[in-house]
Amino acid sequence: MREWEHNIRNVEPYIPGEQPKSVGVIKLNTNENPYPPSPKAELAARDFNFDRLKLYPDPNASQLVHGLAKYYQVLDNQVFVGVGSDDVLSICFLTFFNSDKPVLFPDISYSFYPVWANMYQIPYCEIPVDKDFHIVAKDYYRENGGIIFPNPNAPTSLYMGLDEVENIVKNNQESVVIVDEAYIDFGGQSAISLIDTYENLLVVQTYSKSRSMAGMRIGYAIGSQRLIEAMQAVKFSINSYTMNITSLVYGSAVLEDEEYFQECVEKIIATRERTKRELAELGFTFLDSKTNFLFAQHKKIHADALFEELKKKNIYVRYFNRPKIDNYLRITIGTDEQMNKLFAALKEIINED
Amino acid sequence: MREWEHNIRNVEPYIPGEQPKSVGVIKLNTNENPYPPSPKAELAARDFNFDRLKLYPDPNASQLVHGLAKYYQVLDNQVFVGVGSDDVLSICFLTFFNSDKPVLFPDISYSFYPVWANMYQIPYCEIPVDKDFHIVAKDYYRENGGIIFPNPNAPTSLYMGLDEVENIVKNNQESVVIVDEAYIDFGGQSAISLIDTYENLLVVQTYSKSRSMAGMRIGYAIGSQRLIEAMQAVKFSINSYTMNITSLVYGSAVLEDEEYFQECVEKIIATRERTKRELAELGFTFLDSKTNFLFAQHKKIHADALFEELKKKNIYVRYFNRPKIDNYLRITIGTDEQMNKLFAALKEIINED
C-alpha cells in the first residue's frame, strides 16, 4: 500500500438495484413508475432555449422551490431541494446528526441509512421492527441523536398511521425527526401537515416514484424554516449549484398537472390491489402494501430461486440477501400488461417446481 | 436554543457570484462562457424520448464516462463524473484527505477549498502565493495530507507550466495531488498527460467554462484507476445516481463537436487579448491571464468603487473583499459586443472620477 492510500476514506457503499441495459427487460426491481411523466415536462422542454445552458442555474432553485411550496401550501423557506432524495437525505445526516448519541432507524428499512451513518461517522442504533415487520412507535421513545424512518417503510411496504408518526415526533422534541416519504402518494397521509406544529420534524419526498421522474434526480425536504436554513448552509458548503436547469424546468412544469399525477397514482394502486389477488392465488403471502411495490414470499419456493428464475425470463425484481428478509421478493408494480407477464412467468416457474 | 439545535452542523458556506434575474444585465461575474453550447446538445434533446424520465439514470454514467475517456484517450476506469466540478472536488476532499497532516492549497485561490476542509474537518494550510501572485512549486515540498491547486489559478488567472506542476507531483508522491483545471482550455497544457506516470495525480475539469454548459452541472476527474475507484466508493456512499439523464445525454453529445468547441475557445482568447489592450489604455494593470477572465486593478479608482459603479450600469463583475486582492476586479471575458459595453461604461466612470 502506498503512503497516500492510507488517507483514503474506507467505506462500504450502498448497492443500487440493477439497471439492465438490454431491451425487452421487464424492470420491476427499483420501484420506478411504469408510466411516463406528465406531458407538461416535454412541453416545457420544447420552449427551452438551449442558449440558457451556458449560464449557471439559479443556486437557490427558486422556481422549483416555489412550485413545491405552492403545491404543498407551505412557505418557500420551508422547502429544500436536492439531486434526488438520496442527496437530500445525505445532507440531512450531515446537517442534523452531529451527536454522540445514536441516531435511530428501523433494522429493516432503507439500507442507505447505515451507509450514510458510516460515511459521516455518526453513531446509530437499528431498532428492530416487530415480528410482522411493523415499526413500533414506542420503541423510539429513548435517548437518541436523531430519528429517521421511511413511511411507508421500504422494503416492507407497510404504512404507519399519521397519529403514530406524530407520537414519535411528540415524544422526541429534543431530536430532529425525519420522515422519509418516498412512497407516501400511493395511499398514505403525509406528515407535511405537522411541520408547523413540530419545528423538529422534517419530511422528505421524491420525484422518482409517484411523479415518474427518477431520471431527473429531484428530491425535496419540507420542514420548519430553521431546519431548512441549516440544510442550506451545508448544501452551500458542498456544491453551490446542485440542480441543473433541466431539472428545475421539468420539475416545476409537472407540478401543474395534478390530474395526470392522480390518474397515474390511481392506476398503480388499482394494479397493486389486483396483483395482491393474483399473487395470493399463486401461493404468495405479502404485507399490506401502501406503496408501488409488494413485499412477498411464496409458500413453497424460496425467494432467491424465484429471483433467479424470473431473471432468466428477463423479469427483474429485487432480492435482499439479508437476515429476516432473505425469503422475500420486492416486486415493483408495473403496468397491467407487465404484471400479466410476471404472473405468467411465475405460473411457469411454480408449475415446473 | 432548542436541544436539537445543538446537533446541527455549524458551517460557513461558500458564497457564489450573484445570479441576477433581471434582463439586460451584462453578466461578467461568474466566468460563464458567452457562447451557447454546441448545437449537438439541442440535436440530442430533439431525439430524446421523455418516457425515459421514469427510469433511473445509469448510476455509472457510462455513456458520459466513455465519451470523456475517448476524448482524453484514457480508460473508462480513469474517469469520474459529478454534478459540476464542485461536486467532484467535494468528493475528492472526502475521499483523499483523511489525514492529520494539513492539506495544502494557495492562500489566493478558489475560496471553496477552505469551506470543504472545514465542512469535513480536514486540517489545512494555506501557502502564500508570491508577491506577483504566482504559485511557487517548491513551497509545496513539505509534509502534508494532500495538495490541491487550480491551474490556471483563480481568481488570479495565472497559469503554471506543466513542468512546474510535475515538480509538485514528483516531490509529493506520498500524497494525492489534485490539479483543478477549470480554465485549462483557454491556453494551458493539461496535466492529464501525466496521469499514467503518477498514480497519485488527479486532474479535475468542468463543462461550465470552455464547454458553455454551466447550466447542466457536469464536472469530471481523470486519474489512476486506484484514485477513481476510491472516489466511486465514496460517491456510492452518498448518492447512487448523481447525473440526471439530460446531463448524460447532452454532456456526451457535445464531445462530438470538437470544431465548435475550438472555435468558441479561440474567440474567447482573441477577445481576452483585445480586452487586455483596451483595459491597459484605460489605466488598468492585470495579470497575464490564460483563462476566460482578467484579474485587474485600476491605477486610480479602487476596485470596490468600480464594482459598484458598473453594477449601477447593469454590468456585473466579481469583487472579493479579501486581504491582498481587495483592489482587484475579476472580469469574465464575454462577447466582443459585451466587452465594448464594458469599455464604454469604464470610460464614463473613469472620466467622471
Side-chain angles (χ1 to χ4, degrees), chain A residues 1-17 19 21 27 30-37 41-43 45 48-60 62 83-84 86-87 90 93-101 110 112 115-116 119-121 144-146 172-176 199-200 206 208-209 212-217 224 226-227 230 232-247 250, chain B residues 1-17 19 21 27 30-37 41-43 45 48 50-60 62 83-84 86-87 90 93-101 110 112 115-116 119-121 144-146 172-176 199-200 206 208-209 212-217 224 226-227 230 232-247 250:
Chain A
M1 195 185 251
R2 280 135 304 189
E3 188 59 30
W4 51 267
E5 288 190 87
H6 293 284
N7 296 337
I8 288 181
R9 187 173 288 250
N10 194 2
V11 284
E12 193 69 57
Y14 173 81
I15 297 159
Q19 299 293 350
K21 280 171 191 162
K27 201 170 169 303
T30 52
N31 296 344
E32 288 143 334
N33 198 308
Y35 302 108
E42 189 161 1
L43 286 173
F48 185 72
N49 179 358
F50 270 70
D51 195 60
R52 177 65 186 78
L53 294 191
K54 71 187 181 195
L55 301 178
Y56 281 100
D58 172 11
N60 297 308
S62 316
V83 181
D86 285 349
D87 180 37
S90 166
F93 272 70
L94 256 178
T95 307
F96 300 121
F97 296 159
N98 292 283
S99 167
D100 294 333
K101 299 174 197 160
Y110 187 27
F112 223 132
V115 174
W116 285 312
M119 178 74 196
Y120 301 126
Q121 293 155 4
N144 64 73
N172 284 287
Q173 298 197 41
E174 323 70 48
S175 303
V176 174
E199 212 180 350
N200 60 321
T206 175
S208 299
K209 313 298 180 186
S212 306
M213 278 172 66
M216 288 311 293
R217 311 303 295 126
S224 64
R226 179 71 188 97
L227 294 180
Q232 293 288 10
V234 169
K235 169 238 173 322
F236 278 103
S237 300
I238 297 176
N239 190 351
S240 308
Y241 312 91
T242 53
M243 309 301 287
N244 71 17
I245 182 75
T246 53
S247 61
Y250 304 173
Chain B
M1 195 185 249
R2 280 136 303 191
E3 189 59 30
W4 51 267
E5 288 190 86
H6 293 284
N7 296 335
I8 288 181
R9 187 173 288 252
N10 194 3
V11 284
E12 193 70 57
Y14 173 80
I15 296 159
Q19 299 293 348
K21 280 170 189 162
K27 202 169 169 306
T30 52
N31 295 345
E32 288 143 333
N33 198 308
Y35 302 108
E42 187 160 2
L43 285 174
F48 184 73
F50 270 70
D51 195 59
R52 177 65 186 77
L53 294 191
K54 71 188 182 195
L55 301 178
Y56 281 100
D58 171 11
N60 297 309
S62 316
V83 182
D86 285 349
D87 180 38
S90 166
F93 272 70
L94 258 177
T95 307
F96 300 121
F97 297 160
N98 292 283
S99 166
D100 294 333
K101 298 175 198 159
Y110 188 26
F112 224 132
V115 174
W116 285 312
M119 178 74 197
Y120 301 127
Q121 293 154 6
N144 64 73
N172 284 286
Q173 298 197 42
E174 323 72 47
S175 303
V176 173
E199 213 180 350
N200 61 321
T206 175
S208 299
K209 313 297 180 186
S212 305
M213 278 172 65
M216 288 311 294
R217 310 305 295 127
S224 65
R226 178 71 188 98
L227 294 181
Q232 294 286 11
V234 169
K235 170 237 173 322
F236 278 102
S237 300
I238 297 176
N239 190 351
S240 307
Y241 311 92
T242 53
M243 309 301 287
N244 71 15
I245 182 74
T246 53
S247 61
Y250 304 173

Side-chain angles (χ1 to χ4, degrees), chain B residues 104 127-128 130 134-142 147 149 160-161 163-169 171-172:
Chain B
L104 311 181
I127 308 290
D130 74 10
H134 292 95
I135 294 173
V136 180
K138 69 174 171 39
D139 294 346
Y140 292 79
Y141 306 168
R142 45 171 279 188
I147 292 175
F149 57 90
M160 186 190 335
D163 48 344
E164 285 296 276
V165 172
E166 184 168 6
N167 281 337
I168 294 179
V169 183
N171 283 280
N172 284 286

Side-chain angles (χ1 to χ4, degrees), chain A residues 224-275:
Chain A
S224 64
Q225 190 184 339
R226 179 71 188 97
L227 294 180
I228 300 302
E229 79 186 9
M231 291 179 78
Q232 293 288 10
V234 169
K235 169 238 173 322
F236 278 103
S237 300
I238 297 176
N239 190 351
S240 308
Y241 312 91
T242 53
M243 309 301 287
N244 71 17
I245 182 75
T246 53
S247 61
L248 296 179
V249 171
Y250 304 173
S252 312
V254 301
L255 293 175
E256 304 287 331
D257 198 355
E258 184 63 11
E259 201 185 333
Y260 179 90
F261 170 70
Q262 291 298 345
E263 204 178 286
C264 285
V265 164
E266 280 161 27
K267 277 197 283 188
I268 290 167
I269 292 173
T271 306
R272 177 184 73 204
E273 297 309 313
R274 195 187 132 231
T275 301

Side-chain angles (χ1 to χ4, degrees), chain B residues 142-206:
Chain B
R142 45 171 279 188
E143 198 175 52
N144 64 73
I147 292 175
I148 182 166
F149 57 90
N151 192 37
N153 195 7
T156 65
S157 79
L158 292 173
Y159 170 68
M160 186 190 335
L162 194 55
D163 48 344
E164 285 296 276
V165 172
E166 184 168 6
N167 281 337
I168 294 179
V169 183
K170 199 187 288 177
N171 283 280
N172 284 286
Q173 298 197 42
E174 323 72 47
S175 303
V176 173
V177 178
I178 300 171
V179 188
D180 179 358
E181 295 189 337
Y183 300 101
I184 196 73
D185 293 325
F186 298 107
Q189 234 189 316
S190 172
I192 292 175
S193 59
L194 303 174
I195 64 153
D196 285 326
T197 313
Y198 301 99
E199 213 180 350
N200 61 321
L201 168 66
L202 191 81
V203 179
V204 176
Q205 294 193 7
T206 175

Side-chain angles (χ1 to χ4, degrees), chain A residues 180-191:
Chain A
D180 179 359
E181 295 189 336
Y183 301 100
I184 197 72
D185 293 325
F186 299 107
Q189 235 188 314
S190 172

